[in-house]
Amino acid sequence: MRIGELAARAGTTTRTLRYYESRGLLPARRGGNGYRTYDESDLKLLRQIRTLQDFGFDLEETRPFVECLRAGHPEGDACPASIAVYRRKLDELDALIGELQAVRAEIGVRLAGIGGEPPLCELGGQEL
């Protein structure tokens, strides 16, 4: 398939595909006519990248998953490098969850300290 068809099937743009190609995440194959050509395995790579990005992975963090798929593994998360990225991401998420829980607790303390009622606006007694 050509770049426009791949972009449409992957739900992205041709510009994004060219960017992924420049970053080495998408193969740069050309047909005899000079057009970029892609196949179903390229669509699978793109879906893996998009799914990971939806989960909060940055583009470079998707590389081990792409390389795992290219190595012939049916799933991109079966290789040691992919597993290591998963572990790092879980550590990041756990840290963020801890930070959010601390903020939530502090807001709860402050809310309890003011009696749990929203303050009245000084300009006419309306709630803020």
Side-chain angles (χ1 to χ4, degrees):
M1 74 187 91
R2 292 185 26 194
I3 193 168
E5 182 183 351
L6 180 63
R9 289 184 63 191
T12 191
T13 65
T14 57
R15 183 177 180 179
T16 297
L17 299 183
R18 287 189 291 273
Y19 178 70
Y20 290 171
E21 183 182 303
S22 74
R23 299 290 305 267
L25 293 169
L26 193 62
R29 293 185 303 271
R30 302 241 178 206
N33 56 8
Y35 292 124
R36 291 172 172 87
T37 61
Y38 302 97
D39 58 26
E40 293 298 319
S41 67
D42 299 318
L43 182 59
K44 187 172 183 173
L45 287 175
L46 285 173
R47 287 183 174 149
Q48 180 79 28
I49 292 169
R50 298 288 306 259
T51 297
L52 291 167
Q53 287 187 308
D54 288 346
F55 290 164
F57 289 71
D58 66 37
L59 190 57
E60 195 55 37
E61 288 174 320
T62 69
R63 186 174 301 281
F65 298 88
V66 168
E67 290 171 356
C68 191
L69 285 170
R70 283 187 185 156
H73 295 278
E75 299 299 323
D77 55 6
C79 298
S82 303
I83 293 168
V85 172
Y86 270 157
R87 286 188 176 127
R88 280 195 308 272
K89 185 56 76 175
L90 276 179
D91 289 343
E92 287 176 24
L93 291 170
D94 287 340
L96 287 172
I97 290 168
E99 290 173 21
L100 289 172
Q101 286 173 332
V103 169
R104 186 184 191 289
E106 180 62 27
I107 290 171
V109 166
R110 289 180 182 210
L111 187 58
I114 60 170
E117 296 296 322
L120 295 178
C121 177
E122 296 174 8
L123 299 176
Q126 299 174 345
E127 291 185 11
L128 293 177

